[in-house]
């Protein structure tokens, strides 16, 4: 794992870094997320952020499965220090996960689904500081 001083982190499930006021979060291929994994991901993200809120570009194309408890955790405790989320999903499976998350868990922060980074970054730019 790289040091937070370089403004990026990596664990077994994702890589994430801060660039130009946006937190980029890319899941690795074929990740299966349950509640303990979701808790570790959020814990690692919070270490990187050091108490500062960011808009998040979250590329979920590598997620193979995410269980209900993990989705609920991300929508509640997982929203701490996040200004807005742009979910990147350009596959049928990742789009289904995104729709279930947004509609089923009603995250407390602005959350939208995009097919590519450019549109997502335009959406997040209004939340970047």
């Amino acid at each position: 794992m790289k040091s937070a001083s370089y403004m990026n982190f990596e664990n077994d499930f994702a890589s994430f870094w801060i660039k130009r006021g946006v937190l980029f979060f890319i899941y690795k291929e074929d990740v299966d997320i349950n509640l303990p994994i979701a808790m570790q991901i959020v814990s690692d993200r919070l270490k990187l952020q050091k108490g500062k809120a960011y808009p998040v570009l979250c590329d979920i194309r590598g997620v193979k499965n995410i269980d209900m408890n993990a989705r609920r955790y991300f929508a509640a405790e997982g929203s701490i220090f996040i200004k807005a989320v742009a979910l990147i999903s350009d596959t049928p499976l990742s789009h289904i996960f995104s729709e279930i998350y947004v509609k089923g868990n009603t995250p407390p922060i602005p959350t939208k689904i995009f097919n590519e980074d450019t549109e997502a970054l335009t959406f997040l730019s209004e939340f970047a500081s």
Side-chain angles (χ1 to χ4, degrees), residues 77-104:
E77 291 89 341
S79 296
I80 296 167
F81 291 118
I82 295 180
K83 295 179 179 181
V85 174
L87 297 170
I88 306 296
S89 71
D90 67 353
T91 65
L93 184 61
S94 65
H95 200 77
I96 289 167
F97 288 145
S98 298
E99 289 285 338
I100 290 169
Y101 173 73
V102 172
K103 293 184 174 151

Side-chain angles (χ1 to χ4, degrees), residues 12 38 53 56 68 116 124 126:
D12 292 340
V56 175
M68 184 173 59
E116 50 113 285
L124 293 175
E126 65 184 271

Side-chain angles (χ1 to χ4, degrees), residues 12-90:
D12 292 340
F13 315 105
S15 298
F16 35 112
W17 64 94
I18 297 166
K19 184 176 177 183
R20 287 187 231 126
V22 174
L23 192 150
F24 291 80
F25 198 99
I26 313 295
Y27 280 99
K28 295 184 178 179
E29 286 300 310
D30 296 323
V31 171
D32 194 351
I33 303 171
N34 58 25
L35 182 58
I37 290 171
M39 293 170 78
Q40 180 185 341
I41 289 167
V42 171
S43 174
D44 288 347
R45 177 183 59 78
L46 291 172
K47 288 176 197 167
L48 174 67
Q49 290 180 254
K50 297 179 182 172
K52 185 171 187 227
Y54 290 94
V56 175
L57 185 144
C58 185
D59 186 334
I60 65 162
R61 291 177 279 198
V63 175
K64 182 173 65 177
N65 187 42
I66 179 168
D67 74 20
M68 184 173 59
N69 290 328
R71 287 194 306 269
R72 287 181 177 157
Y73 182 81
F74 282 140
E77 291 89 341
S79 296
I80 296 167
F81 291 118
I82 295 180
K83 295 179 179 181
V85 174
L87 297 170
I88 306 296
S89 71
D90 67 353

